[in-house]
Amino acid sequence: MVSLLEMPETASPITMNEPAPRPNAPVERASIEIEHLDFAYGSHQVLHDVTLDIPPRAVTAFIGPSGCGKTTLLRCLNRMNDLVDGARITRGAIRIEGIDINQPGVDVVDLRRRVGMVFQKSNPFPKSIYDNVAYGLRIAGISRRTLIDEAVERSLRSAALWDEVKDRMHVSGYGLSGGQQQRLCIARALAVEPEIVLMDEPCSALDPIATAKVEELIRQLKTRYTIVIVTHNMQQAGRCSDRTAFFYLGKLIEVDDTTKIFSNPGQRQTEEYITGRFG
Amino acid sequence: MTEQKHILATFDEALGSLRNSVLMMSSLTERSLERAIAGLFQRDDEACAIAIADDEEIDQFEKQVDHDGIDLLLRFQPVASDLRRVVSAMKLSSNLERMADQATNIARRARKLNQHPALPEVELIRPMYAHAMAMFKDAIDAYVRSDVDQARSVVPRDEALDELNRMAGRRLTERMAEDPAQLRGYLNLIFVSRCLERVGDHATNMAEDAVYAVAAEDIRHQQSAAGVRPR
């Protein structure tokens, strides 16, 4: 296996078209570049020619109606779809820091360490709070207790959970509230020091207070991480994200600064969706 | 502007109701200005009294529009063109209320003027009134029809109204020196002239709000930003 960081940039086996024109306002420097991406589950194509740059150290929100392909695209970014039978990219490429992540030889475990993910429903392991956060480090082969202790505290602090759990690190993660469990999952993702954090509707099961805490956490995290969030909550996309991408029927309709999208979108379909005049 | 219906019919109803309140306010304001000016030109104290009384109803409409606008923002959190429609309706309402205040001021000055012999210099007011009302009607028409070009065309017309106001002021000041016995009358006409100049300012604001509502473009203060003397 070759680490993603060690992959030569010129080794892409995927035949690429000419560089895609960037839809709408381009970003200055992309952390993730998605070019002409087609994706299918078996014979059912769900993403069509998606070209999108995702800037570093900023929050990019994917919005769109159910079935528009936003979660599928999110899961492409750390190859989570590899686990789905028949799911495959049929054209195009995804590059992270210039490296095509779908090249043969890319270490998927290393990719998923660098591109962490937080899911719609919090999914702590049936372990203690400490062991939940330490899990990824141990998998990565780190065994020194002091290193793990430091990483666990750092991650819990980054996830704004440390003060709430520092005196009960060895109780089960299941004993936490829904909002705390979700922040525990964020801490678990941060423990392995990713560069990118993917969030798939991270607040959909949380009450407004827990949602506000996660949103504030996202705001703090974006100074250190590239964040991509899928959300059905328009207000959340407006509050949390710097850029917003609107998808419909597997196509990227529009991407721009969030303020622009929610004040004066360029495309009629975007306007109709965000104002509730859809379908 | 988006024409398709909102999934929530209550939202479209609330937005429609807000717009109707603004249009009703606009009609009342126009009528109030017409009555105030009739009171001046026709020396009709009753018209002046009605214009002054109209103000109360317009004030209530302003409060209603504010209440309904805030209610809409709270309940539906509108975005994009919907948000602009709510914000512009509330701003239009504020300008209409202040315009109606000018109608009241004109009516009060007219009542004072009517207590004395007619001054021929009242004719200086006529072109100003015609110009200000044309600006007002065009601004409202542009808002109603979402016509950005018409709204834009209103803005530069304010300069001509300002010039008419300056000319009237100069002429009336001269007359004050020539005929000090009528000083109060000339002073009242200067105030009426200023009121109409303010009506033009509010019409300009409304035209700018109409542009914002339709095109999401803020065209306010562009002359002053470019170094041109502000209004």
Side-chain angles (χ1 to χ4, degrees):
Chain A
M1 287 287 193
V2 182
S3 167
L4 193 68
L5 291 169
E6 295 162 359
M7 289 294 293
E9 288 187 40
T10 53
S12 171
I14 297 175
T15 306
M16 294 295 299
N17 296 328
E18 288 297 304
R22 301 278 177 243
N24 297 317
V27 297
E28 204 168 280
R29 186 170 68 85
S31 174
I32 304 171
E33 297 163 272
I34 302 164
E35 289 203 339
H36 292 300
L37 194 76
D38 289 351
F39 182 90
Y41 292 113
S43 60
H44 177 53
Q45 188 172 345
V46 291
L47 291 176
H48 302 265
D49 198 26
V50 173
T51 294
L52 172 65
D53 284 351
I54 295 175
R57 290 184 175 77
V59 181
T60 300
F62 290 176
I63 63 169
S66 297
C68 70
K70 55 191 186 300
T71 294
T72 296
L73 180 61
L74 190 80
R75 290 165 61 89
C76 284
L77 301 181
N78 66 351
R79 290 182 54 178
M80 287 291 282
N81 291 318
D82 288 7
L83 308 171
V84 180
D85 284 345
R88 68 197 193 288
I89 289 172
T90 53
R91 187 175 74 115
I94 298 170
R95 294 191 182 82
I96 294 179
E97 302 297 342
I99 310 287
D100 184 336
I101 64 169
N102 292 293
Q103 286 182 92
V106 165
D107 181 347
V108 177
V109 173
D110 182 58
L111 172 68
R112 291 182 189 147
R113 181 195 67 72
R114 295 180 62 204
V115 186
M117 191 156 191
V118 177
F119 296 89
Q120 183 172 5
K121 190 174 182 314
S122 57
N123 55 350
F125 301 139
K127 294 172 178 292
S128 70
I129 294 167
Y130 182 96
D131 287 339
N132 260 279
V133 183
Y135 186 82
L137 298 164
R138 288 176 176 145
I139 292 288
I142 297 170
S143 56
R144 272 184 60 188
R145 179 75 187 207
T146 50
L147 284 179
I148 294 177
D149 282 353
E150 284 170 13
V152 167
E153 179 174 342
R154 186 175 60 243
S155 305
L156 286 168
R157 283 188 187 279
S158 294
L161 192 59
W162 173 254
D163 289 341
E164 294 167 53
V165 300
K166 63 186 176 188
D167 298 325
R168 48 178 173 147
M169 295 290 281
H170 296 287
V171 304
S172 169
Y174 287 163
L176 299 174
S177 70
Q180 288 172 326
Q181 285 189 17
Q182 192 61 303
R183 280 181 285 147
L184 177 63
C185 293
I186 293 171
R188 189 175 65 195
L190 299 181
V192 294
E193 299 186 358
E195 291 144 42
I196 297 163
V197 180
L198 311 176
M199 297 183 169
D200 187 4
E201 296 188 57
C203 302
S204 63
L206 304 184
D207 69 28
I209 301 296
T211 296
K213 286 182 179 175
V214 172
E215 287 182 6
E216 173 58 18
L217 175 59
I218 290 169
R219 192 187 66 79
Q220 291 169 9
L221 293 177
K222 78 172 182 180
T223 59
R224 285 175 285 154
Y225 305 96
T226 299
I227 296 173
V228 186
I229 179 171
V230 164
T231 180
H232 275 130
N233 183 328
M234 296 293 123
Q235 282 72 37
Q236 181 169 68
R239 286 189 299 263
C240 286
S241 69
D242 302 292
R243 286 174 66 82
T244 296
F246 170 61
F247 294 87
Y248 182 54
L249 297 177
K251 292 178 182 167
L252 173 62
I253 304 299
E254 183 173 5
V255 57
D256 212 326
D257 290 345
T258 295
T259 306
K260 173 78 165 58
I261 290 283
F262 285 102
S263 61
N264 186 26
Q267 300 297 318
R268 187 180 178 85
Q269 282 173 310
T270 314
E271 169 99 18
E272 288 178 352
Y273 180 71
I274 64 172
T275 59
R277 291 185 166 80
F278 210 72
Chain B
M1 286 283 189
T2 307
E3 297 299 332
Q4 196 170 340
K5 284 185 177 174
H6 199 281
I7 294 164
L8 290 171
T10 48
F11 177 78
D12 275 342
E13 286 163 15
L15 206 55
S17 169
L18 189 73
R19 179 182 165 90
N20 287 341
S21 293
V22 171
L23 297 184
M24 179 59 79
M25 231 182 134
S26 153
S27 298
L28 292 174
T29 303
E30 184 181 340
R31 195 180 66 181
S32 186
L33 280 163
E34 286 167 355
R35 282 174 171 159
I37 285 294
L40 177 72
F41 290 136
Q42 295 162 24
R43 303 178 64 78
D44 182 346
D45 280 352
E46 193 180 334
C48 292
I50 296 172
I52 292 165
D54 282 347
D55 196 43
E56 171 65 23
E57 191 178 1
I58 294 167
D59 287 350
Q60 291 308 315
F61 262 107
E62 186 197 21
K63 287 172 73 174
Q64 184 68 46
V65 169
D66 276 358
H67 176 274
D68 291 350
I70 289 167
D71 187 61
L72 237 153
L73 294 172
L74 277 173
R75 289 199 295 144
F76 300 104
Q77 294 101 43
V79 294
S81 61
D82 289 338
L83 177 62
R84 297 198 304 273
R85 284 189 220 193
V86 176
V87 170
S88 59
M90 293 172 78
K91 293 179 77 176
L92 244 79
S93 146
S94 173
N95 276 295
L96 286 167
E97 189 276 331
R98 291 164 72 188
M99 215 180 243
D101 285 347
Q102 300 305 332
T104 303
N105 291 340
I106 290 169
R108 290 207 171 105
R109 296 288 171 183
R111 270 205 312 212
K112 289 180 181 171
L113 283 158
N114 293 347
Q115 291 168 14
H116 303 281
L119 295 171
E121 285 77 10
V122 76
E123 289 304 314
L124 290 166
I125 300 301
R126 209 177 286 278
M128 289 192 69
Y129 171 69
H131 195 100
M133 285 303 274
M135 285 177 68
F136 171 33
K137 287 176 184 175
D138 285 352
I140 285 294
D141 195 40
Y143 171 73
V144 170
R145 297 193 298 111
S146 300
D147 186 336
V148 177
D149 292 337
Q150 186 178 14
R152 283 186 203 281
S153 75
V154 172
V155 177
R157 287 156 61 189
D158 193 42
E159 182 55 37
L161 187 59
D162 290 350
E163 183 53 32
L164 286 172
N165 178 44
R166 284 192 289 273
M167 281 170 51
R170 279 197 297 271
R171 177 67 187 138
L172 290 165
T173 307
E174 285 167 12
R175 288 297 297 140
M176 284 160 111
E178 292 162 7
D179 185 6
Q182 299 295 337
L183 191 141
R184 286 191 177 193
Y186 294 130
L187 203 54
N188 281 323
L189 284 177
I190 286 175
F191 278 118
V192 170
S193 168
R194 280 192 185 169
C195 287
L196 290 170
E197 188 268 330
R198 292 266 185 269
V199 168
D201 289 345
H202 294 307
T204 303
N205 293 344
M206 287 159 55
E208 290 165 344
D209 292 339
V211 171
Y212 175 71
V214 181
E217 189 183 340
D218 187 351
I219 61 166
R220 295 173 302 167
H221 309 304
Q222 289 183 344
Q223 285 184 323
S224 51
V228 177
R229 182 173 49 78
R231 292 195 311 273

